[in-house]
Every structure is written in structure tokens, then in C-alpha cells.
Amino acid sequence: MPEKLTWIKLNPYVSVSCQPNTPNGRIVVKDHDDVSPSIILLFGWMGARLPQVLVYADTLHELFPSSTIVIVGSWAEFVWRSQSHLVQSTMLPVVELLQSEKNSRSRFRGVLVHVLSNGGGWQFMTLRKLLSKLQPSDSILDQAPTALILDSVPDDKGLKSSLRAVSPKNVALRLLVFPFFVCLYIAFYTHNRLTGRPPLFIELRTALLLPDILPSIVPGAAPRLYVYSQSDPLASASRIEQHITTAAQVGLDVAVEEFQGTGHAAHMHSDPERYWNAVHSLWMAAVARLGESSSR
């Protein structure tokens, strides 16, 4: 088992792994056959605390011991803070790390993106939008594998999904706070419309159908894995299945893991072996696919 990682907080939202006992916290990769991605981007669900997301990061480190892991948090202020603020406060350090890793490593081994829930999806969408506006680096022609894991995402029921996410479990308390949450949602929706920002759920579903997940960093379409459950009370299985169908129809490489009886973003806890086997298989398929295209 690899040594336990230490973590450096780049800002209130972003933490990056630091390899112990290595120069500058970076592991020295000596095995030319190493297939671990250079970077793993792990986007937590809205309101997730760092220790909760570290449960995922620790296993990712076991699977891919030479990868640098970047955890990006998601908080409710995403809904009402401006996109420019989000870019400045959250994503610029992530972009800089991606660019640095792409340009400075002797062999860039690609990026695995792991998204948890709609909150993580919105942060990933913000990063992708920023990358799409940047000029490709000089080494952009160097192919590298990418893959996208979509755990309990995307839903698109707007008000219904938002109310399910923030409503208290107590029925009486729920009845008291529902009017406030409805008014708050309407205010956010109206603000977004007036400022020209499309509805978040529609924007998210559209972004997750784009083939290249990290434009200006790695070209080409990325395979993706959908993880979901019919029992998820927050992310509707039927809406995720519609997204899966659309993704396949537009030619994306799609894999699916449907769990039974598991709650929202809780599939990993119910059957860790199955969950992580699916994650590992997705990445190995991305590596193999790149190798096949390079040999043609």
C-alpha cells in the first residue's frame, strides 16, 4: 500500500496532494510502464467536508499511486456568486496546475476526472468553460488519456432537485422552510436569466455531453462512466438514463454502473470493490484506447 498523502490547501475550495519523502512533494516516476494519470481531479458534492471527500481520494491514491490528486470543493454560494468570482477564487490554481503538469513532466500521462453529484458537476463545468477560452499549450498535440466519472449526476429537475437537496428531513420543519426556499430559488433563477446565465441544470447537462473534457489541455473525446441508482432521492435515475442514451447517440464512449438500493452519492460505500473496479477499468480502457489509436 502506498504511503499516506499529505495535503496542501491552495485556497478555501482547492486542496492538492503532496507525496511524502519526495522532492517538492512530487513522486519520481521511474517505471516507464506506469499508467497512473498525472492528475486526478476530484470534484466533491455540494457542502461536502474535506474528510468526506478524502475517503474517495485515499482509494484513488491506492489505485493510482503516482498521481497528483486535486480536490475541488463545492458550496451553495456557487449558485449566487458571479462566474468571474468563481474563476478567480477557485479554478485558476487548478488551471495553472494542469498547465504546469502538461508542460513540465517528461511524460504527461493524462487526467482522470471524478465528479460527485450536481455540485461537483457545476464546479467541473466552470473549469471546463475556463479552459475552453484559453489557447492550447505548445504540447497540445501530444496525446494523453482522459476519462470522466459521473457519480449521481446529472439531474435536471431544477426547483424539484434543489428542494430535495436542501430540505430538512423533519416534515413539519420542511413545511415551514419550503416557501422560503421556493422564493430563494425563484430569485436565483430570475437573476441568472437577467444576467444571461442559462439555467444551471440545463447548462450542466449540455456541458457533460461535450466530447473533450479538458479543452486546451488534452484534445479528443473522453470515455465516461455513469454511476447511479434507482433509489437515489436527489438525482433522478430516469434523467440520468436519458443523458446516458443521448451521450451514446452522439458517439461518446459510455460505461454504466447501476447500483440497487443506494442513496445519493453513496454507491461507493455500498459496494466499494465493485465501484473501484469500475473506476479502474474505465481508466485502463482509456489508456488502451489511446494506445490503439497511436499505433494506427
mmCIF file of all heavy atoms in Angstrom, residues 99-126:
data_model
loop_
_atom_site.group_PDB
_atom_site.id
_atom_site.type_symbol
_atom_site.label_atom_id
_atom_site.label_comp_id
_atom_site.label_asym_id
_atom_site.label_seq_id
_atom_site.Cartn_x
_atom_site.Cartn_y
_atom_site.Cartn_z
ATOM 1 N N GLN A 99 -1.734 23.091 -16.489
ATOM 2 C CA GLN A 99 -0.789 23.576 -17.495
ATOM 3 C C GLN A 99 0.644 23.228 -17.124
ATOM 4 O O GLN A 99 1.430 22.808 -17.983
ATOM 5 C CB GLN A 99 -0.948 25.086 -17.654
ATOM 6 C CG GLN A 99 -2.274 25.495 -18.288
ATOM 7 C CD GLN A 99 -2.454 26.992 -18.328
ATOM 8 O OE1 GLN A 99 -1.962 27.720 -17.461
ATOM 9 N NE2 GLN A 99 -3.182 27.481 -19.324
ATOM 10 N N SER A 100 0.983 23.387 -15.850
ATOM 11 C CA SER A 100 2.334 23.081 -15.400
ATOM 12 C C SER A 100 2.642 21.599 -15.570
ATOM 13 O O SER A 100 3.710 21.218 -16.046
ATOM 14 C CB SER A 100 2.495 23.493 -13.937
ATOM 15 O OG SER A 100 3.739 23.072 -13.423
ATOM 16 N N GLU A 101 1.691 20.761 -15.196
ATOM 17 C CA GLU A 101 1.899 19.318 -15.301
ATOM 18 C C GLU A 101 2.016 18.903 -16.765
ATOM 19 O O GLU A 101 2.828 18.058 -17.127
ATOM 20 C CB GLU A 101 0.725 18.600 -14.640
ATOM 21 C CG GLU A 101 1.017 17.183 -14.220
ATOM 22 C CD GLU A 101 1.811 17.110 -12.931
ATOM 23 O OE1 GLU A 101 2.034 18.154 -12.295
ATOM 24 O OE2 GLU A 101 2.223 15.994 -12.561
ATOM 25 N N LYS A 102 1.210 19.503 -17.603
ATOM 26 C CA LYS A 102 1.234 19.178 -19.025
ATOM 27 C C LYS A 102 2.570 19.555 -19.654
ATOM 28 O O LYS A 102 3.116 18.805 -20.476
ATOM 29 C CB LYS A 102 0.095 19.931 -19.728
ATOM 30 C CG LYS A 102 0.120 19.874 -21.241
ATOM 31 C CD LYS A 102 -0.333 18.541 -21.766
ATOM 32 C CE LYS A 102 -0.423 18.560 -23.275
ATOM 33 N NZ LYS A 102 -0.872 17.278 -23.827
ATOM 34 N N ASN A 103 3.122 20.685 -19.248
ATOM 35 C CA ASN A 103 4.299 21.224 -19.931
ATOM 36 C C ASN A 103 5.629 20.835 -19.302
ATOM 37 O O ASN A 103 6.654 20.878 -19.971
ATOM 38 C CB ASN A 103 4.209 22.748 -19.985
ATOM 39 C CG ASN A 103 3.033 23.222 -20.819
ATOM 40 O OD1 ASN A 103 2.688 22.607 -21.815
ATOM 41 N ND2 ASN A 103 2.400 24.305 -20.399
ATOM 42 N N SER A 104 5.637 20.452 -18.028
ATOM 43 C CA SER A 104 6.913 20.233 -17.363
ATOM 44 C C SER A 104 7.275 18.773 -17.195
ATOM 45 O O SER A 104 8.445 18.434 -17.063
ATOM 46 C CB SER A 104 6.909 20.896 -15.979
ATOM 47 O OG SER A 104 5.954 20.274 -15.124
ATOM 48 N N ARG A 105 6.315 17.909 -17.180
ATOM 49 C CA ARG A 105 6.625 16.492 -16.999
ATOM 50 C C ARG A 105 7.283 15.914 -18.244
ATOM 51 O O ARG A 105 6.952 16.277 -19.367
ATOM 52 C CB ARG A 105 5.338 15.710 -16.706
ATOM 53 C CG ARG A 105 4.829 15.919 -15.280
ATOM 54 C CD ARG A 105 5.216 14.756 -14.417
ATOM 55 N NE ARG A 105 4.753 14.947 -13.050
ATOM 56 C CZ ARG A 105 4.174 13.999 -12.345
ATOM 57 N NH1 ARG A 105 3.962 12.821 -12.880
ATOM 58 N NH2 ARG A 105 3.847 14.206 -11.089
ATOM 59 N N SER A 106 8.225 14.977 -18.009
ATOM 60 C CA SER A 106 8.872 14.334 -19.150
ATOM 61 C C SER A 106 7.880 13.485 -19.934
ATOM 62 O O SER A 106 7.999 13.324 -21.130
ATOM 63 C CB SER A 106 10.039 13.467 -18.666
ATOM 64 O OG SER A 106 9.568 12.484 -17.746
ATOM 65 N N ARG A 107 6.886 12.949 -19.243
ATOM 66 C CA ARG A 107 5.851 12.186 -19.934
ATOM 67 C C ARG A 107 4.514 12.437 -19.249
ATOM 68 O O ARG A 107 4.257 11.943 -18.154
ATOM 69 C CB ARG A 107 6.165 10.686 -19.926
ATOM 70 C CG ARG A 107 5.229 9.888 -20.844
ATOM 71 C CD ARG A 107 5.723 8.452 -20.981
ATOM 72 N NE ARG A 107 5.502 7.688 -19.780
ATOM 73 C CZ ARG A 107 4.395 6.977 -19.538
ATOM 74 N NH1 ARG A 107 3.411 6.970 -20.423
ATOM 75 N NH2 ARG A 107 4.264 6.276 -18.441
ATOM 76 N N PHE A 108 3.699 13.229 -19.889
ATOM 77 C CA PHE A 108 2.383 13.550 -19.350
ATOM 78 C C PHE A 108 1.471 12.347 -19.548
ATOM 79 O O PHE A 108 1.293 11.855 -20.663
ATOM 80 C CB PHE A 108 1.822 14.776 -20.073
ATOM 81 C CG PHE A 108 0.480 15.217 -19.577
ATOM 82 C CD1 PHE A 108 0.305 15.643 -18.268
ATOM 83 C CD2 PHE A 108 -0.616 15.228 -20.430
ATOM 84 C CE1 PHE A 108 -0.935 16.059 -17.818
ATOM 85 C CE2 PHE A 108 -1.863 15.645 -19.987
ATOM 86 C CZ PHE A 108 -2.022 16.061 -18.677
ATOM 87 N N ARG A 109 0.844 11.869 -18.470
ATOM 88 C CA ARG A 109 0.095 10.618 -18.509
ATOM 89 C C ARG A 109 -1.415 10.836 -18.436
ATOM 90 O O ARG A 109 -2.166 9.903 -18.160
ATOM 91 C CB ARG A 109 0.563 9.697 -17.380
ATOM 92 C CG ARG A 109 2.064 9.402 -17.401
ATOM 93 C CD ARG A 109 2.454 8.362 -16.368
ATOM 94 N NE ARG A 109 1.885 8.629 -15.054
ATOM 95 C CZ ARG A 109 2.380 9.489 -14.164
ATOM 96 N NH1 ARG A 109 3.460 10.191 -14.471
ATOM 97 N NH2 ARG A 109 1.801 9.657 -12.986
ATOM 98 N N GLY A 110 -1.844 12.059 -18.675
ATOM 99 C CA GLY A 110 -3.271 12.303 -18.781
ATOM 100 C C GLY A 110 -3.948 12.670 -17.479
ATOM 101 O O GLY A 110 -3.306 12.817 -16.430
ATOM 102 N N VAL A 111 -5.286 12.782 -17.543
ATOM 103 C CA VAL A 111 -6.078 13.277 -16.414
ATOM 104 C C VAL A 111 -7.346 12.437 -16.270
ATOM 105 O O VAL A 111 -8.061 12.197 -17.243
ATOM 106 C CB VAL A 111 -6.476 14.758 -16.610
ATOM 107 C CG1 VAL A 111 -7.239 15.280 -15.391
ATOM 108 C CG2 VAL A 111 -5.244 15.629 -16.870
ATOM 109 N N LEU A 112 -7.603 12.016 -15.043
ATOM 110 C CA LEU A 112 -8.854 11.358 -14.686
ATOM 111 C C LEU A 112 -9.709 12.358 -13.910
ATOM 112 O O LEU A 112 -9.249 12.946 -12.934
ATOM 113 C CB LEU A 112 -8.581 10.127 -13.825
ATOM 114 C CG LEU A 112 -9.798 9.398 -13.238
ATOM 115 C CD1 LEU A 112 -10.675 8.832 -14.352
ATOM 116 C CD2 LEU A 112 -9.354 8.289 -12.281
ATOM 117 N N VAL A 113 -10.946 12.560 -14.356
ATOM 118 C CA VAL A 113 -11.861 13.497 -13.715
ATOM 119 C C VAL A 113 -12.970 12.709 -13.030
ATOM 120 O O VAL A 113 -13.664 11.917 -13.669
ATOM 121 C CB VAL A 113 -12.458 14.489 -14.736
ATOM 122 C CG1 VAL A 113 -13.418 15.454 -14.034
ATOM 123 C CG2 VAL A 113 -11.343 15.269 -15.433
ATOM 124 N N HIS A 114 -13.132 12.935 -11.732
ATOM 125 C CA HIS A 114 -14.103 12.202 -10.917
ATOM 126 C C HIS A 114 -15.081 13.210 -10.318
ATOM 127 O O HIS A 114 -14.707 14.028 -9.474
ATOM 128 C CB HIS A 114 -13.362 11.454 -9.804
ATOM 129 C CG HIS A 114 -14.176 10.384 -9.145
ATOM 130 N ND1 HIS A 114 -13.621 9.228 -8.648
ATOM 131 C CD2 HIS A 114 -15.504 10.284 -8.876
ATOM 132 C CE1 HIS A 114 -14.570 8.468 -8.114
ATOM 133 N NE2 HIS A 114 -15.716 9.103 -8.238
ATOM 134 N N VAL A 115 -16.337 13.157 -10.772
ATOM 135 C CA VAL A 115 -17.349 14.155 -10.391
ATOM 136 C C VAL A 115 -18.396 13.507 -9.500
ATOM 137 O O VAL A 115 -18.978 12.476 -9.848
ATOM 138 C CB VAL A 115 -18.024 14.751 -11.648
ATOM 139 C CG1 VAL A 115 -19.138 15.714 -11.254
ATOM 140 C CG2 VAL A 115 -16.993 15.457 -12.517
ATOM 141 N N LEU A 116 -18.665 14.141 -8.356
ATOM 142 C CA LEU A 116 -19.652 13.645 -7.408
ATOM 143 C C LEU A 116 -20.826 14.611 -7.326
ATOM 144 O O LEU A 116 -20.664 15.760 -6.903
ATOM 145 C CB LEU A 116 -19.022 13.482 -6.019
ATOM 146 C CG LEU A 116 -17.867 12.472 -5.930
ATOM 147 C CD1 LEU A 116 -17.128 12.631 -4.607
ATOM 148 C CD2 LEU A 116 -18.381 11.049 -6.077
ATOM 149 N N SER A 117 -21.981 14.180 -7.771
ATOM 150 C CA SER A 117 -23.241 14.904 -7.652
ATOM 151 C C SER A 117 -23.257 16.164 -8.526
ATOM 152 O O SER A 117 -22.274 16.509 -9.194
ATOM 153 C CB SER A 117 -23.507 15.259 -6.182
ATOM 154 O OG SER A 117 -24.781 15.824 -6.007
ATOM 155 N N ASN A 118 -24.400 16.848 -8.522
ATOM 156 C CA ASN A 118 -24.537 18.065 -9.332
ATOM 157 C C ASN A 118 -23.593 19.163 -8.867
ATOM 158 O O ASN A 118 -23.087 19.937 -9.679
ATOM 159 C CB ASN A 118 -25.983 18.560 -9.277
ATOM 160 C CG ASN A 118 -26.947 17.643 -10.002
ATOM 161 O OD1 ASN A 118 -26.690 17.207 -11.111
ATOM 162 N ND2 ASN A 118 -28.063 17.334 -9.366
ATOM 163 N N GLY A 119 -23.370 19.253 -7.550
ATOM 164 C CA GLY A 119 -22.454 20.273 -7.043
ATOM 165 C C GLY A 119 -21.063 20.130 -7.616
ATOM 166 O O GLY A 119 -20.442 21.103 -8.044
ATOM 167 N N GLY A 120 -20.553 18.895 -7.648
ATOM 168 C CA GLY A 120 -19.261 18.654 -8.284
ATOM 169 C C GLY A 120 -19.315 18.908 -9.772
ATOM 170 O O GLY A 120 -18.363 19.413 -10.374
ATOM 171 N N GLY A 121 -20.468 18.576 -10.388
ATOM 172 C CA GLY A 121 -20.628 18.810 -11.819
ATOM 173 C C GLY A 121 -20.565 20.276 -12.170
ATOM 174 O O GLY A 121 -19.969 20.664 -13.185
ATOM 175 N N TRP A 122 -21.153 21.134 -11.340
ATOM 176 C CA TRP A 122 -21.115 22.576 -11.619
ATOM 177 C C TRP A 122 -19.694 23.124 -11.531
ATOM 178 O O TRP A 122 -19.301 23.967 -12.336
ATOM 179 C CB TRP A 122 -22.042 23.311 -10.655
ATOM 180 C CG TRP A 122 -23.490 23.086 -10.946
ATOM 181 C CD1 TRP A 122 -24.068 22.894 -12.169
ATOM 182 C CD2 TRP A 122 -24.559 23.022 -10.001
ATOM 183 N NE1 TRP A 122 -25.430 22.712 -12.051
ATOM 184 C CE2 TRP A 122 -25.759 22.784 -10.727
ATOM 185 C CE3 TRP A 122 -24.633 23.144 -8.611
ATOM 186 C CZ2 TRP A 122 -27.008 22.672 -10.095
ATOM 187 C CZ3 TRP A 122 -25.867 23.027 -7.991
ATOM 188 C CH2 TRP A 122 -27.036 22.794 -8.732
ATOM 189 N N GLN A 123 -18.924 22.630 -10.584
ATOM 190 C CA GLN A 123 -17.535 23.084 -10.485
ATOM 191 C C GLN A 123 -16.714 22.592 -11.674
ATOM 192 O O GLN A 123 -15.880 23.319 -12.223
ATOM 193 C CB GLN A 123 -16.915 22.603 -9.172
ATOM 194 C CG GLN A 123 -17.495 23.249 -7.921
ATOM 195 C CD GLN A 123 -17.076 24.701 -7.763
ATOM 196 O OE1 GLN A 123 -17.187 25.511 -8.684
ATOM 197 N NE2 GLN A 123 -16.599 25.052 -6.582
ATOM 198 N N PHE A 124 -16.935 21.347 -12.077
ATOM 199 C CA PHE A 124 -16.255 20.842 -13.270
ATOM 200 C C PHE A 124 -16.646 21.653 -14.497
ATOM 201 O O PHE A 124 -15.799 21.994 -15.334
ATOM 202 C CB PHE A 124 -16.593 19.364 -13.487
ATOM 203 C CG PHE A 124 -16.246 18.856 -14.855
ATOM 204 C CD1 PHE A 124 -14.929 18.793 -15.280
ATOM 205 C CD2 PHE A 124 -17.243 18.469 -15.736
ATOM 206 C CE1 PHE A 124 -14.607 18.351 -16.562
ATOM 207 C CE2 PHE A 124 -16.938 18.015 -17.009
ATOM 208 C CZ PHE A 124 -15.619 17.948 -17.420
ATOM 209 N N MET A 125 -17.924 21.975 -14.624
ATOM 210 C CA MET A 125 -18.407 22.778 -15.745
ATOM 211 C C MET A 125 -17.717 24.136 -15.774
ATOM 212 O O MET A 125 -17.353 24.645 -16.842
ATOM 213 C CB MET A 125 -19.920 22.941 -15.619
ATOM 214 C CG MET A 125 -20.577 23.797 -16.687
ATOM 215 S SD MET A 125 -22.363 23.957 -16.372
ATOM 216 C CE MET A 125 -22.351 25.012 -14.905
ATOM 217 N N THR A 126 -17.539 24.731 -14.600
ATOM 218 C CA THR A 126 -16.858 26.028 -14.516
ATOM 219 C C THR A 126 -15.418 25.916 -15.003
ATOM 220 O O THR A 126 -14.921 26.774 -15.744
ATOM 221 C CB THR A 126 -16.887 26.555 -13.074
ATOM 222 O OG1 THR A 126 -18.247 26.653 -12.635
ATOM 223 C CG2 THR A 126 -16.228 27.919 -12.968
#
